[in-house]
């Protein structure tokens, strides 16, 4: 394991370079929150987490989930990348079925994620044209949303349609055939037919943190609703970071709420990492900023009218479950989630409780 000079400098502590990961988990400089109540007992809506099928085999994860959540979102095994890995004719439902069965056995709700995403399906669909493309597009939504009808309460029908800088909608293999708004409209119409009971969401990141992206999202929602799109809910992914200016998240929440639609905070995490070239802030200072932003989000969500509080979902339970802590992205020190690698509450758990209670 290598720890960069920058990381060690930024942490304000000298770590032996051979320190095991667990030793990085909590340092004496970090505040240890008091015991927090089960998050589902304080959340003003269902409280969810992302789940990977393998976690069902981890008794510690299961215990933590049972204590804290009443809703599950498959983290990637319900995505096209997984379902169509063996091709259009051989969809793989093994893992999403397993998650659905687990949710049912535990009495937990399930949120479907995600049907149509610019980032997936390109290779499978690129050989198709005209009517064959249409059949595959419509058929995929019918098969997947149809299979989980009655098993999910909601779907992210379209994920991440807006460019990072908020300047426009993304061009992708879906928009190339149906247009930028067109593929979204078509996906929602097909999802409505496949599962008339699920609440259908448009899901996007950084809308609550980057004002230009938020404006683009609001304009898109307005156009879709005017066009008669069966869009019924708005998903704010909420992959936060510590330098989001104070007040931006709460202001956006008030704005987006004006549509009157249910809101799902759908993928909350808050990385401690920053892009700053030189960042000497201590881990404790970073955690304090993280708590401020998470409390702001939770409190803005709690302030919504009850009928608009659809669900509040964290993108994993323990830090080591986080996508920030996988593979190359892992610096061994990030604490983006509410529980540490042992399942003990992080300051973020306390920040959620504080926000929900305001
Ligand atoms: C991520 C998962 O966390 C990873 O495990 C997977 O490899 C890639 O996708 N926005 C989304 C999520 O809508 O589906 C992404 O999840 C994170 C960003």
């Amino acid at each position: 394991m290598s720890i960069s000079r920058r990381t060690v400098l930024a942490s304000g502590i000298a770590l032996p370079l051979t320190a095991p990961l667990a030793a990085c988990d909590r340092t004496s400089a970090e505040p240890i929150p008091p015991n927090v109540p089960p998050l589902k007992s304080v959340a003003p809506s269902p409280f969810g987490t992302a789940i990977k099928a393998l976690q069902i085999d981890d008794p510690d994860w299961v215990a933590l989930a049972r204590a804290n959540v009443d809703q599950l979102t498959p983290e990637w095994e319900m995505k096209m990348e997984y379902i169509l890995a063996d091709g259009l004719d051989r969809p793989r439902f093994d893992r999403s079925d397993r998650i659905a069965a687990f949710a049912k056995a535990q009495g937990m709700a399930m949120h479907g994620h995600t049907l149509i995403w610019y980032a997936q399906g390109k290779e499978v669909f690129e050989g198709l044209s005209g009517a064959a493309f249409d059949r595959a597009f419509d058929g995929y939504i019918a098969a997947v949303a149809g299979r989980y009808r009655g098993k999910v309460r909601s779907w992210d029908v379209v994920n991440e349609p807006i460019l990072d800088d908020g300047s426009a909608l993304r061009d992708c293999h879906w928009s190339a055939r149906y247009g930028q708004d067109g593929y979204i409209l078509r996906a929602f119409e097909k999802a409505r037919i496949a599962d008339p009971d699920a609440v259908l969401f448009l899901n996007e990141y950084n809308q609550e943190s980057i004002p230009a992206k938020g404006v683009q999202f609001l304009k898109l929602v307005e156009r879709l609703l005017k066009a008669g799109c069966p869009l019924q809910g708005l998903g704010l992914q909420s992959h936060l970071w510590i330098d989001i200016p104070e007040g931006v998240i709460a202001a956006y929440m008030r704005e987006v709420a004006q549509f009157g639609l249910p809101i799902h905070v759908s993928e909350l995490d808050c990385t401690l990492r920053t892009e700053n070239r030189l960042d000497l802030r201590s881990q404790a200072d970073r955690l304090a900023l993280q708590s401020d932003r998470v409390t702001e989000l939770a409190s803005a969500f709690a302030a919504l009218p009850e009928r608009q509080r659809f669900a509040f979902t964290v993108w994993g339970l323990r830090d080591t479950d986080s996508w920030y802590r996988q593979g190359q992205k892992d610096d061994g020190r990030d604490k983006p989630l509410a529980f540490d690698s042992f399942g003990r509450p992080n300051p973020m758990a306390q920040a959620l409780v504080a926000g929900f209670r305001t």
Side-chain angles (χ1 to χ4, degrees), residues 52 74-76 79 81 113-114 117 120 156 159-160 203 205 237 239 267 315 322-323 326:
K52 287 174 278 223
E75 186 166 343
W76 74 279
K79 292 172 180 165
E81 182 182 27
H113 175 78
T114 175
W117 189 9
Q120 296 192 346
D156 289 329
N159 203 30
E160 306 181 348
N203 197 42
Y205 65 95
Q237 289 187 9
H239 293 291
E267 305 182 13
W315 209 233
S322 169
W323 64 318
Q326 314 300 317

